[in-house]
Structure formats: C-alpha cells, structure tokens
Amino acid sequence: MNEAFLHYLWQFQQFDKSNLQTISGEKISVLKTGILNTDAGPDFTNARLQINEIEWVGNVEIHIKSSDWQLHRHQNNEAYNNVILHVVWENDHAIARQDGSLIPTLELKSITDIQIIGKYQHLIDNQSIIPCKEQFSEVSDLSKFAILDKVLAKRLQQKAQIVEQLFEQNNGDWEETAYQLLARNFGFKLNSETFLRLAQNLPLKVLQKHRDNLIQIEAILFGQAGLIENVDEYSEKLSREYDFFSAKFSLRPTQLASHEWKFLRTRPANFPTVRIAQLAKLITQQQSFFSLFTQTNSIEDLRSTLKFEQSIYWQEHYNFGKVVSKKLVGLGKDSINNILINTVIPLLACYSEKIDNQEFMTRCVSFLEALPAEENHITEMWEGLGMKIKTAFDSQASIELYNNFCTQKRCLQCNVGIEILKK
C-alpha cells in the first residue's frame, strides 16, 4: 500500500460510498474531492464535504496510517489547520489540529474492493517494460488520446524549461538563445553538447559581422572547434583566416579539442565537420534565427529555408583532405524534421510562456501535427501494441509517456492505467 494509490482512491472515489462515515460515525457526503496538490501542503485543496448537517470547505490530507500525521509533523505546521478530513488506509490514532479540535477521519481499508487492489498490484509488480501491455488493447481510444494530450503538454513544458535556462544564461537575449539551440541540434544526439559548447564559446554577433563571407564564417567556426588540419590549400586558408579573426575579436582560446568530436559509428553526412559547414552556410543566409523561427507561420516555409547546400569543399569532403566517393548534399528530410522538432518547437513553447501568448503554443501543436512521426524503438513498441503513431505529435507524446510514466510505473496518473483499474 502507498499514498499514491490512496490519492487515486480518493480522487476517483473508488470505494463503497453507500454509507460513508467517519470513524466516529458522522455521515459524510463528498460534494467535491478537491484539487490534487503536487506541491508542499495538504494533498487535496478546496474540497467540499458535508459532515452530518454541516457543509465544510477546506483541505483533505491522506496517509497510510493516521499516526503518519504526527510522523510527518503536521501538528506543527499551520498549513494543515484547514484540513477538514483525514483520509487514511488504517486508523490507529486520533488526530487533532493545533487548536486541539479533532479532525474527522475516513478509513478506506474496510470500504475498498480487494479486486481493485489486486489490479493495481498487478500493474506495479509485473515485469513488462510497459506495465499495461496485456490490457492495452482493451482500453478505449478516448483514454489513449487523453493521455497523449496530457503528456505532450508536459513534454512541451519541459522543453521550454531547457530553452529558458539558455535564455537566462544569455541574459535575456533571444537571438543568442535561438542560435545556441540551433547549434546544439546540428550536433544531433552524438555531438549535441559539443556543438552547444562551441556556440556558447563563439557569440553569434561575432559571426554576423562576416555574414557575407562564407569562408570567414567557416574559418571562425572550425577554428574555435579545434578541428582545422593544415592538409590542403583550403584548410591552410582557414587556418590563416582564423588566426587573424581570433586576434581581431579577442576570441578565447578554444576549450574544444578534436578528440571531443565524435566521428565513429556515424555516416560521413553526419560528421561534425559537415554539420559545422552546414551551420556556417545557414548563418550566411539568415539575418535573425529568432525571427525566422517565431515569425514563420508555415512548416513548409521553414522546411524550404533549411533546404540548402553547404560550400563546395564540404560537398566533396567529409573531413579535411578526405574526399567522399559520393557528393554530400545538404540537410536531409529527416534531419530537417529533427531540427524543427528539437529547435523550433521548444523555442516557440518557451517564447509562448515568456510573453503569455497562447498563439505560439498552438503553433507548436499544429507544427507537430504537420510533421511525420519519428521512428525509434519506443514508437515501435507502441505501434506493436496498436497505438497509432502517424505524426510528430504522436511520437513526441508516446516518447514522453514511455520515459516519464511507463518506466516509472506512474499508472495512477495515466488515463490508461485509471481506466484499467476502473474496469
């Protein structure tokens, strides 16, 4: 038995209410269960109850044993003086407020169907990666859609928080934040943090001074990345250019070394050298990344902007002096979609919250619904259970559901788990 299960029992009133009474025999009518409180303080706030002939408005506190009230030292906390009902699994001690008045107590142990306990225990104890795997096909589409909506909102909030951290580190500079976020995602998973460090160590305003000269942008980026190798005419030119601009702009000595960039187990098209060249080209084409990402209303227009080719050298080479057998084109369709999902969407979500404008959050959702679903082992698992994963909305939500609900067995906070327990 745990308090999370008791929260579920109270929130959804999953017990025999035909003759609901306190332990002292007072009749209880639940008019409003209250709002589940995930912060400090009583478990449910703003509940409305009728105890005997008196209607009460206040908070509900839940414990496994009533003596837990004292164990948690609620008797010393004024925040619990407005508790109008103490809901417990087992009553083992009379509990009073600070003024000495007894708190009405409801014991659930004797009025809860043992079958619902068994269903919950089965979900929590089974060894499946997805706890409801056996019953998932029996759950209504409504519950599945509801939980996807819920977890996607949570995922967008979490992504917005990551962007907000960058925003604060950049002293409220949206342009620098958009640039760093974009750079981070040009590294995709393998080199994302190294790309972020590169961008943080190389202000966008330095690069924008030379937007009209691609080779100078490449020199500064590759130089700060610690990747220039003097093996041919092109690389020697980059080295000379970097030496000049690093002195001109007093660039800090790079904190990156070539060994920090990951090349193994990846295709040449995904090498960090090629991605840096692509980022350089994009910088020459865009005056403002922030305006591009926040003021473009069409997902197709964004896609079109990201369809470009890097410089000729990096179409023919995957590293300095290393020639490719087949020409390297620009960002592929999947890479563009990845950047849209992991750069544009989080930036819009954060901006929406910062300026309190729901229009940008609505655009996040519409963009996700317009983008194809990602394909990975998590989406494959859900599709194997019959979940329809058609758009990025579906894949992002299913990833969040798996990572932060299924693996943590938070079935009681999931619409699917709740429906299973109610059956």
Side-chain angles (χ1 to χ4, degrees):
M1 185 55 58
N2 58 52
E3 286 190 11
F5 182 61
L6 299 184
H7 288 168
Y8 162 78
L9 292 178
W10 174 257
Q11 185 174 6
F12 296 98
Q13 298 288 281
Q14 293 296 296
F15 44 79
D16 183 3
K17 300 185 293 294
S18 59
N19 186 29
L20 209 56
Q21 294 183 355
T22 67
I23 57 171
S24 58
E26 299 167 299
K27 183 178 179 181
I28 303 174
S29 294
V30 180
L31 307 177
K32 183 181 177 183
T33 60
I35 301 169
L36 180 62
N37 177 29
T38 56
D39 296 320
D43 295 311
F44 286 84
T45 59
N46 297 316
R48 287 179 60 226
L49 310 172
Q50 184 170 316
I51 301 178
N52 281 342
E53 303 302 321
I54 301 175
E55 185 173 318
W56 297 80
V57 177
N59 304 324
V60 173
E61 178 66 4
I62 295 178
H63 288 122
I64 297 173
K65 293 184 177 182
S66 51
S67 58
D68 290 340
W69 179 281
Q70 295 174 322
L71 185 66
H72 298 165
R73 300 187 181 281
H74 295 333
Q75 69 274 17
N76 301 323
N77 191 335
E78 292 183 357
Y80 291 84
N81 285 339
N82 195 32
V83 170
I84 58 176
L85 185 67
H86 193 200
V87 177
V88 301
W89 181 251
E90 180 181 349
N91 177 59
D92 64 344
H93 196 282
I95 298 300
R97 303 181 182 89
Q98 284 185 328
D99 62 5
S101 58
L102 292 176
I103 301 176
T105 300
L106 171 66
E107 185 182 69
L108 297 179
K109 185 176 182 179
S110 58
I111 58 174
T112 302
D113 190 336
I114 194 171
Q115 289 187 353
I116 196 171
I117 301 174
K119 290 179 181 178
Y120 172 64
Q121 210 62 48
H122 178 73
L123 280 176
I124 298 303
D125 292 343
N126 81 75
Q127 299 302 308
S128 296
I129 298 176
I130 298 176
C132 63
K133 180 178 179 180
E134 297 173 4
Q135 304 102 319
F136 191 78
S137 62
E138 303 169 9
V139 176
S140 68
D141 287 340
L142 182 61
S143 290
K144 295 173 185 176
F145 294 149
I147 189 58
L148 289 180
D149 279 340
K150 175 181 175 180
V151 298
L152 181 70
K154 183 176 180 64
R155 188 168 183 82
L156 288 176
Q157 289 174 346
Q158 291 173 339
K159 289 198 169 192
Q161 289 173 358
I162 295 173
V163 179
E164 184 176 14
Q165 291 174 359
L166 281 179
F167 181 68
E168 291 175 353
Q169 291 169 12
N170 291 317
N171 299 314
D173 188 330
W174 280 114
E175 194 63 54
E176 201 69 29
T177 300
Y179 154 67
Q180 290 178 8
L181 185 64
L182 177 66
R184 181 180 186 273
N185 289 309
F186 257 80
F188 297 86
K189 282 189 176 181
L190 200 59
N191 287 291
S192 60
E193 295 309 310
T194 315
F195 257 95
L196 177 58
R197 287 173 56 202
L198 171 62
Q200 289 174 325
N201 199 39
L202 180 56
L204 179 61
K205 62 184 178 182
V206 171
L207 296 168
Q208 287 178 325
K209 294 178 185 292
H210 301 274
R211 279 186 54 241
D212 59 346
N213 193 316
L214 176 56
I215 197 163
Q216 291 178 355
I217 297 291
E218 289 179 342
I220 297 170
L221 280 169
F222 279 111
Q224 285 294 99
L227 287 172
I228 298 178
E229 299 178 39
N230 293 330
V231 295
D232 55 20
E233 183 179 348
Y234 167 78
S235 58
E236 289 173 358
K237 182 175 184 179
L238 286 194
S239 184
R240 290 193 301 271
E241 292 280 0
Y242 177 66
D243 288 342
F244 172 77
F245 287 113
S246 62
K248 177 181 178 180
F249 294 115
S250 300
L251 296 176
R252 291 179 298 170
T254 180
Q255 298 175 7
L256 297 174
S258 59
H259 70 267
E260 297 182 69
W261 297 95
K262 298 178 177 63
F263 289 81
L264 295 177
R265 291 183 294 278
T266 185
R267 295 180 297 110
N270 289 327
F271 275 17
T273 44
V274 177
R275 295 305 187 194
I276 288 174
Q278 290 169 344
L279 179 61
K281 183 60 178 289
L282 188 56
I283 288 171
T284 66
Q285 294 182 337
Q286 295 301 319
Q287 185 172 355
S288 170
F289 289 128
F290 179 66
S291 295
L292 171 67
F293 298 147
T294 59
Q295 302 305 317
T296 306
N297 296 317
S298 165
I299 197 74
E300 288 306 320
D301 288 344
L302 285 169
R303 272 202 184 109
S304 178
T305 301
L306 294 173
K307 288 179 180 177
F308 60 88
E309 292 186 340
Q310 62 273 19
S311 61
I312 296 296
Y313 184 89
W314 291 107
Q315 293 178 36
E316 299 172 346
H317 296 76
Y318 61 86
N319 208 337
F320 289 98
K322 304 293 178 63
V323 180
V324 295
S325 57
K326 182 180 179 182
K327 177 183 175 181
L328 296 174
V329 295
L331 292 168
K333 185 177 179 181
D334 289 343
S335 295
I336 290 174
N337 289 339
N338 186 293
I339 289 173
L340 293 174
I341 291 171
N342 294 299
T343 302
V344 180
I345 302 299
L347 186 69
L348 287 175
C350 182
Y351 189 56
S352 175
E353 291 188 354
K354 278 293 184 182
I355 67 171
D356 193 23
N357 187 334
Q358 191 62 31
E359 175 189 344
F360 291 96
M361 192 64 76
T362 301
R363 196 186 304 170
C364 284
V365 175
S366 65
F367 279 0
L368 287 172
E369 289 174 336
L371 288 165
E374 301 141 285
E375 296 181 3
N376 52 50
H377 74 282
I378 296 177
T379 58
E380 288 174 1
M381 276 194 296
W382 285 117
E383 288 182 315
L385 294 180
M387 180 87 85
K388 297 177 182 177
I389 310 291
K390 295 182 178 180
T391 68
F393 180 106
D394 303 326
S395 58
Q396 283 285 292
S398 66
I399 291 168
E400 180 70 20
L401 179 60
Y402 174 79
N403 286 337
N404 290 309
F405 282 77
C406 299
T407 60
Q408 298 178 34
K409 294 187 180 290
R410 293 169 59 192
C411 305
L412 296 174
Q413 298 172 44
C414 172
N415 298 65
V416 173
I418 289 169
E419 181 176 327
I420 290 171
L421 292 178
K422 285 183 176 181
K423 286 188 175 183

